[in-house]
Amino acid sequence: MNTTTDIPAEPSTATPPQGTHEDVQDKTPVGGELRKATRSLVWASRKSLYPLAVMGGLHVVATGMHENGTSPLVAFGGAAAVVVAGTAVGRVRTWLGKSPWRLRWAGGCLAAATAWTATAATVGTGMEQSLLPSVLVTGGSLLAAPWWWLHRPRVRERVARVAPKAELPAPAPVAAIEAPAEPHEHELEWAGHVGARGQALAGSTLKDPEPIFDHEGRSNGTAWIIDGGPQRHTYGSMRLALEDIKATLDRPNADSLIYLDQDPEQYKTRGRLVVLERNPLAEVINWQRPGLDPATGLIPLSVYPDGSGWAYYVLYTPRWGVPHDLLVGCPGAGKSAVLRLIAGESLISGSAVMLFDPHNGGSFKEILPRVTRSFLGPEQIYAGMRGLEAAKNERLQILGEVGEQRMGPEYGHPILHTVVDEASHRTVLGTRGIGETLTDVSKEGRKLWIKLTVATQDPSVDEGFHDFSTLRDQLIAGNVIALRVASAQTARMIRKGNVEVHPDQLPEFFDRAQTLPTTGLGYVLTGGGSELPSRTQFMSEEAFLAQVPVGSPLDDRTGEAFERGYQEALAELERLHDSNSDDWAAASVTPLQPVGAPDDATARDALVQLAVEKGRIEMSDIQEAGICAPSHAYRLLNELKADKVLTQPARGVYEVAAS
């Protein structure tokens, strides 16, 4: 066998050029490389003279300064000018940033040059006066070392690389034969079952394996591309064969470890198959720190199990506004925990959070002291919604004055984040006026930076939203967080696509022993993520209290409008109550407090008096007495605790101090 066929052909030398042997050698490609390398060595060597040239120039400058009596401080001014001029050049910044030592080296050189110039300007630079010229030469030589370090090894490497071609005969090539890799067990299983002849995806193959890592960066399996093969199986047929795929890759907990998604490059005859080693959702994912990315408005809310990482919640979109949220889940699915996480991240970002809870705040004891305002009873909710309506109208006027491009937190208009729990309650969407207010806000709030987060167990129009279908549609167009729900009908109400497992089919526990609850398991459907089960982070009460600040106030105009609408609603309820009107408000709402909020001194005295009368008081006692709003009461109670007038022997309980 003729082995020379494996050797790359050299340039033809059948008709050598005229001249000496040396001329011919110089004109070969190898000789040209050697000459080029030699020139490069000489050219690169010039850079070692730069520091000497600079120090020589400084010697001349310092001599002139000394002879003319110039102040040594001028040297420091010159150094500052060099810094400003150098950092203004992009190439200089790039060069300094490539290695950690470069910035320190350049700074040291500049400091040494400045010190030398200032000293020489003071005492002179002549040999008979000082050793400064010797220091100049020695220092310049030392400063040249990095240039040799950077350039000489590269040239030496180039010469070493091309020299053997010029001086030594090329060795006979040896064919590098790589041992064929052993097929992966998934490939073998696929070829023997689902991809075999006559099977569901006959002729298809697994290709392009990719390691999978979980949200903590740990290795957790392999992702494959399913190639439809000669029969051109489509992604749709792959989804129909998903159960066959899981049976082919037979292993424990296949339903929670094998996922199918569309091909990343959107090929019709390909799919992305993920085979995990363990379910990353089985363990609680504890919230550790604020996660908002200010540049995008995204918050890592939930973890996908397929190796694609985090599902993100959109708090806001810069220069666009705020999307609304719909949160759906049956009791125990984790709605309150998700609301705590959303409200906490929103408060940390500087939003003014308004909490509406017809269940008296029972699930939000740690949230109530932090939110900007809270509205718990029927009359408070009604008055708060009237305040929200007035705030929306005021921001519409502001929008007309400044334009859409001048609205938002960066222009002094913080997000007015309205969080509504148990929205289907009769005192919320069961009330015509409140439903109409929320509908208007859902349609106009985006550009006004007024955000709605609505939580409910039933997203149907006839029951949960009480005929407010427009409101539901506006909410579904934003963030949809669907936890485990009670029925397939509920799942259909909120579905935005082909979810992997319908929310009504999500299990209550991860294990048969029922020791690992799936609270917080569901879907985060924001339009940009995979439609796969995910598990939300859990922000504990301790973490909330430790890291979440008190809500920001609204801007002056919006805040005044909100308070005006709130007080007008309270006055309206007072009149309806006194007139025994047949209106819904008179029949179902008892005014919480007299018209006009009490001043701090009056409210403090009333709280202390109530504590003296009852011995111990809780928020329910304060609401029943109608002293002030809960958010107002929490602030005053904390002040009374700080003044040692009241103590707090248990959470949510207050009593008069022994003194």
Side-chain angles (χ1 to χ4, degrees), residues 451-468:
K451 183 180 182 72
L452 296 180
T453 297
V454 176
T456 181
Q457 296 182 28
D458 186 354
S460 65
V461 173
D462 52 346
E463 294 292 338
F465 279 83
H466 300 282
D467 265 349
F468 295 108

Side-chain angles (χ1 to χ4, degrees), residues 68-305:
N68 292 284
T70 306
S71 172
L73 295 178
V74 175
F76 295 94
V82 170
V83 171
V84 173
T87 55
V89 179
R91 294 182 63 182
V92 173
R93 293 196 305 270
T94 301
W95 187 86
L96 290 174
K98 285 185 178 179
S99 296
W101 64 266
R102 290 185 180 179
L103 188 60
R104 295 191 293 270
W105 175 78
C109 290
L110 185 62
T114 303
W116 184 90
T117 305
T119 304
T122 304
V123 303
T125 59
M127 184 67 74
E128 69 283 354
Q129 296 171 323
S130 67
L131 296 177
L132 287 179
S134 301
V135 174
L136 171 70
V137 175
T138 304
S141 301
L142 292 176
L143 294 177
W147 293 102
W148 283 98
W149 180 262
L150 282 175
H151 296 280
R152 189 164 181 268
R154 299 179 186 175
V155 177
R156 292 174 63 187
E157 180 182 356
R158 179 184 297 175
V159 173
R161 187 169 62 248
V162 301
K165 293 183 181 180
E167 300 176 6
L168 299 176
V174 178
I177 302 176
E178 297 183 0
E182 290 292 333
H184 194 282
E185 60 173 323
H186 296 165
E187 295 176 290
L188 294 175
E189 293 169 338
W190 190 276
H193 294 86
V194 71
R197 185 173 182 179
Q199 298 301 316
L201 298 176
S204 63
T205 57
L206 296 182
K207 56 185 291 186
D208 300 336
E210 175 189 355
I212 288 295
F213 301 91
D214 63 13
H215 61 285
E216 294 181 346
R218 299 175 298 175
S219 177
N220 192 29
T222 307
W224 299 88
I225 296 298
I226 304 176
D227 190 320
Q231 297 192 26
R232 315 295 290 170
H233 296 291
T234 64
Y235 171 70
S237 62
M238 295 173 193
R239 288 204 66 86
L240 293 175
L242 183 57
E243 290 304 315
D244 291 334
I245 294 174
K246 292 179 179 179
T248 293
L249 306 177
D250 196 18
R251 62 204 63 237
N253 303 310
D255 284 336
S256 62
L257 297 179
I258 297 178
Y259 295 94
L260 178 66
D261 202 356
Q262 294 185 9
D263 177 71
E265 297 182 359
Q266 298 296 304
Y267 280 94
K268 295 294 184 183
T269 57
R270 293 183 184 178
R272 182 176 185 268
L273 179 69
V274 176
V275 185
L276 303 179
E277 297 173 357
R278 63 184 179 279
N279 188 349
L281 310 184
E283 300 176 357
V284 175
I285 304 163
N286 287 306
W287 182 89
Q288 300 293 335
R289 63 187 64 84
L292 174 69
D293 180 4
T296 62
L298 299 180
I299 296 171
L301 181 76
S302 192
V303 169
Y304 288 128

